[in-house]
Amino acid sequence: MNLDIKDQFFKEKVILLKKSNLSLYEVADYFGETYVNDPTERFNISDDAKILRISNQVNEDNKSIGLFSNHDLEWHQDFAHTIGDYHGTALLGINNTNLAPTLFCNLKKAYDTLDNNLRELVEDTSCRHRVTDNVYRDVEVTPAMKRLLKMKDYHIDGDYSHLYLKGKVPNRSMVTLHPVTKEKSLYVSPATNLNKPDFFDDLINHCEQFQFSIEWEDGDILLWDNLSTMHRR
């Protein structure tokens, strides 16, 4: 990789490296310090807890071997529910990735095109973030499941077994200033947003004008700027 890739990343927000022979470590380390997941997370597949498996496959006990199982995910920004900044993600496609396009929304363009009234509202608003049943679009949550969610403070199907979900709930401004490009973008993450303001649905409808789909294949690496985009599948 070279500086052109880095420049393109911050300009385009999402980059697809076709049939790359690079490792996830090489890609991530090129951009800076790599995020370390909670070591108790059962979907870690590296000893240093820097790589998670995302999969809809199950083992011999019919238990999911990867994060998110086969559910349809809501719009989100990665690790919005954790303390600190999480700037971007590198995802390597292994099997059947052509069956699962990833949808993105450019939150810089969404911010730039806000009308004055909505811009004033978002500039003065911050929201708390936590993983709840809102992450999934296609899972019916029963009253009993909701009680368990409230008691345990994490998703009951095991996808979110991180101990740090019991920790401090981050409060994030709905407008973020990018540390590299110095551009403003929206930070909304509907899947984890706990205290959605009255104007939230209007804001998401506005954001979805700037969505696009990435079709990818096995062996591709997908990179995205987590501060300037949100994504779903």
Side-chain angles (χ1 to χ4, degrees), residues 53-57 64 66-76 91 99-104 135-138 159 213-214 216 230-233:
R53 178 188 283 117
I54 298 173
S55 177
N56 66 347
Q57 297 179 0
S64 176
L67 194 65
F68 302 133
S69 186
N70 60 352
H71 300 308
D72 184 8
L73 299 182
E74 181 56 277
W75 289 114
H76 62 282
L91 186 62
L99 302 177
T102 306
L103 298 179
F104 286 91
V135 170
Y136 299 134
R137 287 191 170 195
D138 59 354
D159 280 2
S213 177
I214 296 293
W216 52 326
M230 61 181 177
H231 59 282
R232 64 174 296 267
R233 71 173 194 211

Side-chain angles (χ1 to χ4, degrees), residues 43-62:
F43 297 129
N44 284 329
I45 60 172
S46 62
D47 292 338
D48 57 13
K50 291 183 178 182
I51 301 178
L52 289 174
R53 178 188 283 117
I54 298 173
S55 177
N56 66 347
Q57 297 179 0
V58 297
N59 60 20
E60 60 274 10
D61 298 320
N62 204 37

Side-chain angles (χ1 to χ4, degrees), residues 9-14 76-77 86-88 104-111 176-188 210 212 224-231:
F9 174 83
F10 290 118
K11 178 182 179 181
E12 303 296 335
K13 318 305 181 190
V14 179
H76 62 282
Q77 286 166 265
Y86 185 89
H87 290 174
F104 286 91
C105 182
N106 188 321
L107 296 179
K108 179 194 178 299
K109 288 185 178 179
Y111 174 82
T176 183
L177 181 66
H178 198 285
V180 175
T181 66
K182 307 305 179 184
E183 298 169 334
K184 284 188 175 182
S185 297
L186 294 174
Y187 195 107
V188 287
F210 306 99
F212 56 95
W224 62 85
D225 186 334
N226 193 55
L227 298 180
S228 302
T229 67
M230 61 181 177
H231 59 282

Side-chain angles (χ1 to χ4, degrees), residues 114 118 197-209:
L114 288 173
L118 200 50
D198 293 339
F199 59 84
F200 196 78
D201 287 346
D202 291 338
L203 182 63
I204 298 305
N205 288 335
H206 171 77
C207 291
E208 287 182 334
Q209 298 178 80

